Amino acid sequence: MNSVVVKGFKDFFAKGPRLEMIRHDIPERDREWFANCRMHHLEQFPWITSDLVRTGMALWLIASAPLHAFLTVAALTGSLFVLECVLYSNIMRIAPETMRRLNMLRVLLLVRGCIWSLAIGIAVAAAPANGSGQAIFFGAAVVMIDTIFMTSLPLVGLGSNLAVMLAIGMALIRAKDVDPWLAAAMTLMMAMGVHYAIFSLYHLFATRRLRTRRLKTANETIEVLLSHYDQHGSDWLVEIDRDGRLERPSARMCAALGRDVEAVEGMHITSLLEPGPQWRELIRSAQALRQISNLTLPARFGDERRWWSISGCPVFDGEGNHTGYRAFVQDVTERHTAEERVRTMALTDALTGLANRPVFTARLSETLEACDKGEVCGVLFIDLDSFKATNDTFGHAAGDEVLRQTAERIAALARPGDTAARLGGDEFALLVTSAETAHDLVSRAEALVSALSRPMHVDGKTMPGGASVGVALGPRDGANGESLLRAADLALYEAKSRGRSCHVEYQPALLEERAERRRMECDLRHALERDEFEIHYQPLIDIATRQTKGYEALLRWNHPTRGSVPPSVFIPLAEDLDLINTIGTWVLREALAEAATWDENLTIAVNVSPAQMRGEALLGQVIGALAASGVAPERLELEITENLLVHECEVHTRLLHRLRAFGARIALDDFGTGYSSLNYLRSFPFDKLKIDRSFVRDLTCDGDSLSIVEMLLRLARDFSMETIVEGVENEGQFAALTAMGCDQVQGFLFGRPIPASELPPEIRKPVDAAPSLASEPIEWLRQRGCGALPRDTGYCQVSCRKC
């Protein structure tokens, strides 16, 4: 028996560690693939979870052991578990190359084996007499499992397991009731067995993987060549010598090149191909004697550019010497053109040719990830100020042309590395990667506002320009693409709220302001149905008699928690939310319904928002409200602001003429504060000019204000227009206006705006004098004697004073 054991040890040491079992000839091109196979084998086993289970079992085995041994094992295994979790996740994150991951895992697994050897050695040594066998069995199980787990890393597995077995052997040798020589012999035999087992398992693992790989490669080569030859009638076989020159060109290839056989024979293959990334890939593959599969690259002969798909493999003679290449070439020009068209459509906006939202978002994320500390990138979020009005007035074709011209101006300001994109509708964005400082980014925003403020010319018509820009700096205002784009969007909304045609840089306070705006938007959408709106009335005083000639209807929003919200706050919000038509219709109907109860000599003035002037809706709203109330059109004054006529003057003037022909009076509100122009005073004969309160405030102490008001009153008289001045608060102002020949005044001197319930009762007419109301506007028009009723609409479309 002893002689057999001795002979076995002699054979083992004579043959050495048998490293040839774990050495395999792996081609350079397959080393990354083989590393992936080894990595995949390791990832299949949940070794971190297994270590957690081992920790529990080890602690259970020595639960009755001395406390210091228990605590030592607990500290070792617990620390190891935390170390494994942290290092493994970091390895997978920071090491994209598989070979690097394997090297780092080797170190981690060796450290793991050393720590487990200490823990198991302590457990075996400290286990009670009746539990030592269980501890030894536990150690053997650990060795067996790790042998299978680390098959793809044989040296690491062998080293880790030898450390565990050595620890068990040392613990047994030190035990009092175990023969030390026997313990040493058993440890050595286990080491020999583990060595042979793990080397044999790795040999089987590597041999099988490599044979499968070679067989698959050979089959793929055969399949590629045969399939291209059999299935594609347009393919041609190309034979190339080891120097890259064509040999025995086929008739099909010569026909495709448009040359005879003598001209093609001996031609270098690279002379037909355009230099570029695909060309370099072809050269690298040929130099490395690698197979080529469906490599698409451009070819040029003469003035014609084609796209070829090349598949082939190197050719060797009987002695294994490389003699050249044999390949099949297919002309895929049409397919490549179609694929490029689809790829372009997927990456760009079809209307403007700029990048689309997905591409912009992806590049934004990539830019932020690549930003080093101290570098500045940014987003300029752009929105056209008057695009909706352009679409409504001139049509969608003109709107599309405006978007195209806008895109051209934005692209012209983009620098190399920047990305200009259309995000949707009239929203654009510019990703700036070339900014050196935050000030540089703001300067780019100023340039954008300036460029987009110039009018655009479409089909002989001039379209208004103007755009607002939100500026956000990365990564200061957003660490990722979504948050940075949201910051730019908030800045854009702030720019619009400041009057548009400007730029605003993002500030953290804008986030709360946006949230507050959202809440107010939600409240405003439900204000009408919750009966939170109320109309107050302020008297219009005849300056000669100091008698009330009428009232102006002023909208108030009584919010249950915010209190009275100023019109200057909620009216622009209603315009942005497209609620102004609904609210405006309600105001018209309520104001006229109230005016129907007054004396017939009192007028009612109602303000009209520029947003209500889009399209023909206002005409229908006015006629519907008049018909429902029975108020004569001559009693209604519609007040518009002068900046309404700056843009789309012809369209708005036409609508005002129709309203005036119907009988309503048109007043120009806040005259002198906007874009005052004698041209539109000439193009539309207003019934009344309303001079803004800003000129009245210093009327009695400022000679300039006095001169301006006097000039405006004289101008109105020259155009035969009635005049009214608002903001009169004292007798001195009233006396000055009387002396200058003003017709009417309005202000706190004669009364503040009050609800209808507080109006003087003497202005009410008797109940029996109420007008007869028609149920439909068309019937009301017929009652008024209109002789030109339309057939398809509910209001008159001619300029007659009858209706």
Side-chain angles (χ1 to χ4, degrees):
M1 176 67 179
N2 290 336
S3 60
V4 174
V5 173
V6 172
K7 185 178 183 300
F9 282 115
K10 287 182 178 180
D11 291 340
F12 174 80
F13 288 108
K15 294 181 179 179
R18 304 292 297 273
L19 293 179
E20 69 274 8
M21 296 182 68
I22 59 171
R23 290 173 179 165
H24 292 80
D25 184 17
I26 302 174
E28 179 68 28
R29 63 178 180 271
D30 290 336
R31 289 183 180 178
E32 184 69 16
W33 163 82
F34 189 67
N36 282 326
C37 292
R38 301 170 79 177
M39 192 71 192
H40 179 72
H41 177 82
L42 292 172
E43 291 173 345
Q44 295 304 302
F45 185 79
W47 55 281
I48 296 180
T49 304
S50 174
D51 280 4
L52 182 61
V53 176
R54 289 184 190 179
T55 299
M57 293 177 65
L59 295 177
W60 177 76
L61 285 172
I62 62 170
S64 58
L67 181 61
H68 68 276
F70 181 87
L71 293 177
T72 303
V73 172
L76 287 171
T77 55
S79 301
L80 175 62
F81 179 76
V82 174
L83 183 68
E84 288 173 346
C85 293
V86 174
L87 291 183
Y88 183 75
S89 61
N90 286 335
I91 289 171
M92 301 305 287
R93 179 174 57 83
I94 67 175
E97 304 88 0
T98 306
M99 293 296 294
R100 187 179 174 193
R101 287 183 181 178
L102 279 177
N103 291 334
M104 297 175 76
L105 276 176
R106 284 188 176 99
V107 177
L108 175 59
L109 293 175
L110 283 173
V111 172
R112 169 181 176 269
C114 293
I115 293 176
W116 269 114
S117 67
L118 291 174
I120 293 174
I122 294 172
V124 172
N130 58 354
S132 59
Q134 295 176 343
I136 295 172
F137 181 79
F138 170 74
V142 167
V143 170
M144 182 186 70
I145 293 173
D146 281 356
T147 297
I148 300 173
F149 159 53
M150 287 185 276
T151 294
S152 60
L153 297 176
L155 293 178
V156 175
L158 180 60
S160 177
N161 286 334
L162 286 178
V164 173
M165 289 184 291
L166 181 61
I168 296 174
M170 293 297 295
L172 292 177
I173 290 173
R174 295 180 60 187
K176 296 179 180 180
D177 54 346
V178 178
D179 184 353
W181 292 104
L182 179 61
M186 290 176 60
T187 302
L188 185 58
M189 290 178 64
M190 287 179 62
M192 293 168 55
V194 169
H195 167 267
Y196 182 81
I198 198 166
F199 274 36
S200 297
L201 288 173
Y202 176 79
H203 182 78
L204 293 173
F205 166 85
T207 302
R208 182 178 179 183
R209 292 290 194 283
L210 292 172
R211 285 178 179 174
T212 303
R213 174 74 168 180
R214 293 189 185 103
L215 181 61
K216 182 180 179 182
T217 301
N219 289 337
E220 286 178 351
T221 301
I222 296 172
E223 289 175 4
V224 166
L225 295 176
L226 291 179
S227 64
H228 276 74
Y229 184 80
D230 294 335
Q231 297 177 14
H232 300 283
S234 60
D235 294 0
W236 58 84
L237 180 65
V238 176
E239 293 185 77
I240 308 169
D241 64 17
R242 60 183 302 168
D243 296 323
R245 301 188 179 279
L246 296 173
E247 292 182 328
R248 297 180 293 278
S250 65
R252 186 177 296 168
M253 180 179 182
C254 294
L257 296 177
R259 302 179 185 182
D260 54 28
V261 176
E262 291 75 13
V264 177
E265 179 82 32
M267 182 182 294
H268 204 283
I269 185 65
T270 57
S271 65
L272 299 174
L273 306 175
E274 283 189 2
Q278 300 94 336
W279 181 84
R280 290 190 290 272
E281 174 65 21
L282 177 68
I283 297 300
R284 284 195 297 267
S285 298
Q287 292 174 346
L289 302 182
R290 292 200 301 264
Q291 143 183 335
I292 303 168
S293 180
N294 296 323
L295 178 62
T296 302
L297 67 172
R300 184 178 293 277
F301 28 93
D303 296 330
E304 187 177 11
R305 188 175 193 246
R306 310 291 293 177
W307 286 87
W308 287 355
S309 175
I310 300 179
S311 299
C313 60
V315 178
F316 301 91
D317 59 17
E319 298 179 357
N321 298 317
H322 176 238
T323 60
Y325 250 89
R326 184 176 292 118
F328 284 97
V329 178
Q330 179 187 7
D331 191 316
V332 293
T333 304
E334 293 182 3
R335 187 184 74 190
H336 183 271
T337 303
E339 290 174 352
E340 282 296 312
R341 188 180 300 113
V342 172
R343 189 178 298 110
T344 300
M345 291 174 63
L347 299 178
T348 60
D349 175 63
L351 178 64
T352 63
L354 299 181
N356 56 21
R357 179 181 283 272
V359 172
F360 180 84
T361 304
R363 291 181 184 174
L364 176 58
S365 299
E366 293 170 2
T367 302
L368 284 171
E369 290 176 1
C371 267
D372 294 328
K373 189 175 182 181
E375 291 185 353
V376 175
C377 69
V379 172
L380 304 180
F381 205 139
I382 308 155
D383 186 84
L384 302 185
D385 291 335
S386 55
F387 180 71
K388 189 177 188 304
T390 300
N391 249 354
D392 294 343
T393 306
F394 299 102
H396 291 288
D400 289 347
E401 181 59 28
V402 168
L403 292 176
R404 279 190 284 267
Q405 293 188 26
T406 299
E408 292 173 1
R409 296 184 185 184
I410 295 173
L413 293 174
R415 299 174 185 173
D418 296 349
T419 300
R422 180 188 176 209
L423 304 185
D426 61 337
E427 291 183 344
F428 296 83
L430 181 63
L431 171 59
V432 178
T433 59
S434 54
E436 296 181 357
T437 63
H439 178 72
D440 187 21
L441 191 63
V442 172
S443 299
R444 301 283 296 277
E446 292 173 351
L448 271 174
V449 172
S450 176
L452 297 177
S453 295
R454 300 194 303 270
M456 300 183 187
H457 304 284
V458 179
D459 296 333
K461 300 177 182 178
T462 300
M463 308 291 174
S468 302
V469 179
V471 182
L473 303 177
R476 185 196 72 181
D477 299 332
N480 55 56
E482 182 181 355
S483 59
L484 188 61
L485 196 59
R486 183 170 61 250
D489 189 27
L490 289 173
L492 173 63
Y493 269 94
E494 178 65 16
K496 284 186 167 296
S497 67
R498 293 184 184 180
R500 308 189 178 192
S501 292
C502 64
H503 70 277
V504 170
E505 187 176 350
Y506 172 78
Q507 300 296 333
L510 293 178
L511 191 59
E512 177 56 32
E513 292 176 8
R514 180 64 181 276
E516 174 63 19
R517 176 186 171 92
R518 293 288 191 193
R519 290 190 290 268
M520 184 168 285
E521 287 177 357
C522 182
D523 292 342
L524 186 60
R525 292 182 187 277
H526 301 287
L528 196 58
E529 64 188 55
R530 293 172 180 169
D531 200 24
E532 295 174 1
F533 286 127
E534 183 181 22
I535 299 178
H536 287 197
Y537 299 88
Q538 187 173 30
L540 310 179
I541 305 300
D542 181 77
I543 206 164
T545 64
R546 297 177 74 107
Q547 298 295 314
T548 299
K549 301 293 290 183
Y551 288 88
E552 181 181 4
L554 301 171
L555 183 62
R556 297 291 184 263
W557 181 15
N558 299 318
H559 193 276
T561 57
R562 303 175 191 273
S564 180
V565 181
S568 60
V569 173
F570 72 82
I571 292 298
L573 195 59
E575 291 176 344
D576 291 342
L577 297 175
D578 286 333
L579 298 175
I580 196 64
N581 277 319
T582 303
I583 296 175
T585 301
W586 180 85
V587 171
L588 271 171
R589 288 184 173 271
E590 287 294 313
L592 288 173
E594 174 62 27
T597 67
W598 302 345
D599 186 274
E600 293 289 343
N601 294 321
L602 294 177
T603 62
I604 178 69
V606 179
N607 290 280
V608 175
S609 165
Q612 292 177 262
M613 297 287 290
R614 297 172 187 157
E616 301 287 343
L618 181 61
L619 188 59
Q621 294 169 12
V622 170
I623 293 178
L626 287 170
S629 64
V631 173
E634 292 79 8
R635 295 177 59 193
L636 174 63
E637 290 182 0
L638 298 174
E639 295 187 0
I640 68 167
T641 55
E642 53 185 303
N643 58 4
L644 176 72
L645 298 176
V646 176
H647 303 306
E648 310 164 28
C649 178
E650 181 181 347
V651 176
H652 291 151
T653 301
R654 186 165 56 248
L655 177 58
L656 292 176
H657 272 293
R658 297 179 67 182
L659 287 166
R660 193 165 184 267
F662 181 73
R665 291 163 54 82
I666 307 299
L668 185 58
D669 196 7
D670 299 334
F671 185 66
T673 61
Y675 305 90
S676 302
S677 170
L678 296 180
N679 183 51
Y680 60 72
L681 286 180
R682 180 178 57 82
S683 64
F684 184 81
F686 291 94
D687 296 289
K688 181 186 288 188
L689 290 185
K690 191 170 188 178
I691 299 174
D692 187 69
R693 67 179 67 245
S694 60
F695 300 113
V696 183
R697 187 178 303 111
D698 301 323
L699 188 63
T700 58
C701 58
D702 183 5
D704 291 339
S705 296
L706 187 67
S707 300
I708 292 173
V709 173
E710 190 173 11
M711 181 270 293
L712 295 177
L713 291 173
R714 188 182 307 114
L715 181 66
R717 282 195 296 271
D718 291 342
F719 279 94
S720 302
M721 299 177 188
E722 190 178 0
T723 55
I724 182 172
V725 178
E726 62 179 355
V728 178
E729 299 181 357
N730 57 62
E731 289 291 345
Q733 295 170 345
F734 179 79
L737 293 171
T738 303
M740 285 185 282
C742 181
D743 297 314
Q744 294 181 1
V745 293
Q746 176 184 358
F748 291 169
L749 177 62
F750 299 98
R752 294 177 177 272
I754 57 176
S757 60
E758 299 179 15
L759 289 174
E762 58 268 19
I763 71 170
R764 308 285 181 184
K765 60 185 175 181
V767 178
D768 55 0
S772 59
L773 306 182
S775 59
E776 296 291 340
I778 191 71
E779 178 62 27
W780 184 73
L781 290 170
R782 189 174 286 111
Q783 290 176 5
R784 294 181 56 80
C786 178
L789 291 174
R791 297 180 180 179
D792 56 345
T793 61
Y795 51 88
C796 182
Q797 293 181 325
V798 297
S799 299
C800 64
R801 293 299 296 181
K802 292 183 179 180
C803 61

